[in-house]
Amino acid sequence: YGEKALETSSYSQNKFLQDLLYTQVSQATNIASLVHMISETYVQVSTQHLMDRVNGLGKLMGLDPNRDRDQFQAERKKFGADSDAASKAIEELVKKNKEDYEKHAQQRIDSINESARAFLPPATPEETKELQDIIAGSTQSAIMEISEEDKDQYA
């Protein structure tokens, strides 16, 4: 009975399956884009801010704190200052990449919406507002979830 009802309406079972497939592909694409942004940020953080400091630890570890006290203290102070600067730079990089990701995601959504408008009847203002709220909420909740995971991971 359900199959016949779907076929007799303007929304057929094939269209339902197409929509279902499109939703899954869209979600997979969004997740892949997010993973790409996160991994790209990780590589940037490693190459720009961490590797030089990790390599510099060898010099600090090679000094004897008793025998080379002054040089050890100077190197330790420099390492601490460099680490503080790196921490601030990493925070700025993460914020920038997050903003770029949000901007890119919004551009993709706008592009998809523009393409879909050519094939779909115009939505009512209420439907448009509801869809915009859903999209904004979904994007924001995904970003907040990732932000919370980042805070937990680096706290």
Side-chain angles (χ1 to χ4, degrees):
Y1 170 76
E3 230 176 88
K4 287 191 181 235
L6 276 176
E7 288 176 6
T8 58
S9 72
S10 62
Y11 192 69
S12 69
Q13 185 175 5
N14 283 341
K15 290 206 183 280
F16 173 74
L17 291 175
Q18 283 177 332
D19 286 347
L20 189 60
L21 182 60
Y22 172 77
T23 300
Q24 290 173 347
V25 169
S26 177
Q27 287 175 346
T29 301
N30 287 339
I31 291 168
S33 178
L34 185 61
V35 168
H36 178 266
M37 184 271 302
I38 291 169
S39 63
E40 189 176 73
T41 301
Y42 173 79
V43 169
Q44 288 175 323
V45 166
S46 292
T47 57
Q48 295 173 7
H49 303 290
L50 297 181
M51 294 311 294
D52 289 341
R53 280 147 192 88
V54 169
N55 290 336
L57 279 175
K59 182 176 183 180
L60 186 62
M61 290 172 45
L63 296 173
D64 183 350
N66 296 323
R67 189 184 51 184
D68 306 316
R69 185 177 202 76
D70 292 337
Q71 188 179 5
F72 180 82
Q73 290 297 334
E75 287 295 325
R76 196 175 123 245
K77 225 180 211 181
K78 181 181 180 298
F79 185 79
D82 288 350
S83 296
D84 290 342
S87 179
K88 289 176 185 169
I90 289 168
E91 278 186 48
E92 290 301 314
L93 176 67
V94 168
K95 284 179 189 176
K96 178 193 169 294
N97 285 359
K98 179 181 168 187
E99 289 168 2
D100 289 348
Y101 172 79
E102 290 172 352
K103 180 180 167 188
H104 181 70
Q106 188 60 50
Q107 287 172 343
R108 284 194 339 246
I109 290 168
D110 292 345
S111 174
I112 290 168
N113 287 340
E114 268 311 303
S115 298
R117 280 192 191 106
F119 300 105
L120 298 175
T124 65
E126 294 83 21
E127 290 172 329
T128 302
K129 174 74 171 114
E130 184 179 350
L131 288 173
Q132 288 173 342
D133 290 346
I134 290 169
I135 291 169
S138 297
T139 303
Q140 196 60 29
S141 67
I143 291 168
M144 292 305 292
E145 186 176 312
I146 290 168
S147 296
E148 288 301 317
E149 288 174 9
D150 288 344
K151 284 181 188 175
D152 292 345
Q153 183 177 358
Y154 298 111

